[in-house]
Amino acid sequence: MVATDLKALVLYGPNLNLTGFREPDLYGKKPLEDIDAELREEAEKLGIELRILQSNHEGVLIDTIQENRKWANAIIINPGALTHYSIALRDALSSVRLPVFEVHLSNIYAREEFRHHSVISPISVGCIVGCGGYGFILALQAVRNLIAEVV
Ligand code: DQA
């Protein structure tokens, strides 16, 4: 695969649109638009084409995963609270057979017990937690560096 061949679908789940405003001690002060801008900049450097979507609706996330199954080479997702219980989202991700990278702004393992379990992690190639918005940059670098090995 050549350097401009990769396409990544980036998905943000419920309440991620409030990043920067909601619980800044946990999720950081940077708005999602700024995280997006940095991600697009990094994607340009890495030669990765991006499609980015934030939705508060499980079904919209699932539709988007299905619709992009032939376009994307990888999926980077912060499923928000759906992480902890959405079998439907997990099934959608495993159905399309694309490498998944799970990202969380906060360190879910250092928080309430109900956040310690992710139904998405077992079907993910890699998981990045607790690095704030920078976690998405790390995930993008992982896509660039690992994808040839996992696709
Ligand atoms: C989150 C962690 C989830 O437990 C929580 O429900 C979120 C955000 C994170 O990025 O740290 O909405 O995914």
Side-chain angles (χ1 to χ4, degrees), residues 14 16 22 27 78 80-81 84 104-106 108 111 115:
L16 268 290
R22 75 159 173 160
Y27 301 124
N78 182 339
H84 312 297
H104 296 284
L105 299 166
S106 64
I108 55 174
R111 299 183 59 193
R115 294 186 204 275

Side-chain angles (χ1 to χ4, degrees), residues 19-45:
T19 303
F21 169 76
R22 75 159 173 160
E23 301 175 270
D25 291 348
L26 285 170
Y27 301 124
K29 293 195 178 79
K30 201 176 277 184
L32 196 61
E33 300 75 57
D34 292 8
I35 292 174
D36 272 358
E38 288 173 11
L39 199 59
R40 289 189 189 282
E41 209 174 294
E42 184 69 14
E44 181 110 16
K45 281 188 211 149

Side-chain angles (χ1 to χ4, degrees), residues 5-6 10 15 19 24 36 50 54 60 63 66 71 73 81 103 117 121 127 148 150:
D5 258 6
L6 290 177
V10 178
N15 300 306
T19 303
D36 272 358
L50 293 185
Q54 188 281 325
V60 172
D63 286 345
Q66 292 186 7
W71 177 84
N73 302 113
V103 177
H117 181 66
S121 296
C127 308
V150 292

